[in-house]
Amino acid sequence: MLEDRRLEVLRAIVEDFVLSNEPVGSRALAERHGLGVSPATVRNDMSALEEEGYITQPHTSAGRIPTDKGYRLFVDRLSGVKPLSRAERRAIQSFLEGAVDLDDVVNRSVRLLAQLTRQVAVVQYPTMSSSSLRHIEVVLLSPRRLLMVIITDTGRVEQRIIESLTPVDEEIVGELRHTLNCALAGQRLTDAPEAVSVLPDLTRPELRPCVATMAGAVLETLVEPQEERIAMAGTANLTRATVDFADSLRSILEALEEQVVLMKLIGSARETGTVTVRIGRETDVDALRSTAVVATGYGRGPFALGGMGVVGPMRMDYPWTMAAVRAVAKYVGELLGAD
């Protein structure tokens, strides 16, 4: 365990380097941060931190910069994610509440996160496996053709055309709608197939052929592989950190174009309220070894409907970035949870 004073020295080095992108010297630390010790003592602490691998000397100058290990300790020792101000929270809530549908929620969220953090923002659409059926609408198109609309609690919508073997009217459509919703509304998609399989037995004989057809369409929708979708914004923010990335910017951009990579970074956040930070090689993506990823899950309750987060240089303002990611995720979860 490092001594408390050395932790304070490390914290000061990280904060100064994030602001200036310049190696930090012992005299500057002693003067700016009120550590209560002489520059010589700070130099001794810096030497100890360097031996432990928490900071390094990039050139022959006396200044030091944090290593991956140093950033990791800094993040781990944060006393907590600092809360946003009331004005900041109100601005986030106001911006997101204007969304009209799921696509709008996701697009607003990813743009807002990129603007707040000035990093690359990524938001995963709610996964079908974590969703529940909210409502099934049935619309009469013609006496033998129906439109069935399946709506999940996260706002995803699937449509199917149903061909009826016998003519139907609005009264029968109403009965079909009632039967489907009584049996399926509120069911998690992973549990719905069992409820769907008994649907024909719950209806009167003359409607069973039509209900069986609709049940088959519902099952097809539920078992059909759903492409996991993501939204990304703020890629241009990477150009502000070309010094941090040196010759790796192109490989970072290429990695971010791969949806599998983004899903690995963001989609693994399966809990709400918990912000995870992966620094450098912790991303397990070679092209992103000079970056950091701050991510969390969003949704109702402890389990996430999807993940969101940001990708940026290791030299980022971690307390603010973590607070912004958590705040946006909180409001998105509340928004999608509203009836």
Side-chain angles (χ1 to χ4, degrees):
M1 297 291 290
L2 290 174
E3 296 177 6
D4 289 344
R5 192 183 66 232
R6 289 180 185 169
L7 286 171
E8 283 299 300
V9 171
L10 176 62
R11 177 192 58 77
I13 291 172
V14 171
E15 291 178 352
D16 280 10
F17 184 63
V18 166
L19 287 174
S20 68
N21 196 26
E22 294 290 340
V24 183
S26 57
R27 183 173 298 279
L29 288 180
E31 292 174 352
R32 283 201 294 263
H33 291 275
L35 298 174
V37 294
S38 68
T41 302
V42 173
R43 276 196 297 275
N44 290 335
D45 288 336
M46 292 174 72
S47 295
L49 288 167
E50 188 170 9
E51 288 178 7
E52 293 287 340
Y54 293 104
I55 59 176
T56 188
Q57 188 174 25
H59 356 245
T60 54
S61 70
R64 305 294 194 278
I65 65 174
T67 62
D68 297 22
K69 185 179 178 182
Y71 283 120
R72 178 77 269 164
L73 183 62
F74 172 80
V75 170
D76 289 345
R77 292 303 180 90
L78 286 176
S79 58
V81 180
K82 68 179 182 181
L84 271 62
S85 69
R86 182 178 299 178
E88 289 166 339
R89 294 196 304 270
R90 191 184 305 118
I92 292 173
Q93 186 175 12
S94 175
F95 183 78
L96 293 178
E97 281 181 345
V100 296
D101 56 24
L102 177 61
D103 285 329
D104 199 13
V105 170
V106 171
N107 289 329
R108 284 173 181 254
S109 302
V110 76
R111 295 200 322 269
L112 176 62
L113 204 50
Q115 291 169 5
L116 287 173
T117 64
R118 302 184 72 188
Q119 313 291 358
V120 180
V122 182
V123 176
Q124 176 191 19
Y125 274 76
T127 60
M128 291 293 281
S129 60
S130 63
S131 303
S132 299
L133 284 165
R134 172 176 287 176
H135 181 72
I136 297 180
E137 185 57 57
V138 184
V139 180
L140 183 65
L141 300 178
S142 72
R144 292 180 181 271
R145 176 171 288 192
L146 305 172
L147 172 65
M148 183 173 64
V149 183
I150 301 172
I151 305 169
T152 73
D153 60 342
T154 56
R156 294 185 78 149
V157 177
E158 297 289 335
Q159 299 183 5
R160 290 290 186 274
I161 297 293
I162 307 298
E163 301 290 347
S164 175
L165 297 176
T166 58
V168 297
D169 55 22
E170 289 289 359
E171 184 177 349
I172 292 177
V173 166
E175 188 175 344
L176 293 170
R177 184 186 302 117
H178 177 76
T179 300
L180 290 170
N181 282 291
C182 284
L184 300 176
Q187 290 271 0
R188 289 184 63 84
L189 299 193
T190 51
D191 301 329
E194 183 177 349
V196 170
S197 65
V198 299
L199 266 177
D201 298 331
L202 302 178
T203 58
R204 51 193 175 96
E206 54 268 36
L207 291 184
R208 284 177 187 169
C210 189
V211 171
T213 302
M214 300 182 84
V218 172
L219 280 175
E220 287 177 7
T221 302
L222 299 183
V223 302
E224 199 173 77
Q226 299 291 330
E227 179 185 359
E228 296 293 351
R229 298 171 57 199
I230 57 172
M232 183 169 63
T235 308
N237 287 330
L238 291 176
T239 60
R240 296 185 301 102
T242 51
V243 174
D244 299 88
F245 298 136
D247 299 325
S248 62
L249 181 56
R250 179 171 180 173
S251 61
I252 292 171
L253 292 171
E254 290 174 348
L256 293 178
E257 289 179 354
E258 298 293 332
Q259 181 158 321
V260 173
V261 171
L262 294 178
M263 289 299 301
K264 181 180 178 182
L265 294 174
I266 305 299
S268 59
R270 304 314 303 159
E271 294 184 5
T272 60
T274 301
V275 179
T276 61
V277 181
R278 281 180 282 180
I279 300 168
R281 298 187 184 277
E282 294 173 354
T283 62
D284 291 327
V285 180
D286 189 56
L288 300 180
R289 63 185 180 275
S290 59
T291 71
V293 179
V294 179
T296 190
Y298 67 87
R300 301 173 300 280
F303 301 109
L305 297 170
M308 68 169 59
V310 300
V311 181
M314 286 189 286
R315 187 181 61 86
M316 70 165 64
D317 183 345
Y318 289 98
W320 164 250
T321 303
M322 294 166 69
V325 168
R326 187 178 69 173
V328 174
K330 175 179 180 291
Y331 285 116
V332 170
E334 292 176 352
L335 195 59
L336 292 179
D339 293 328

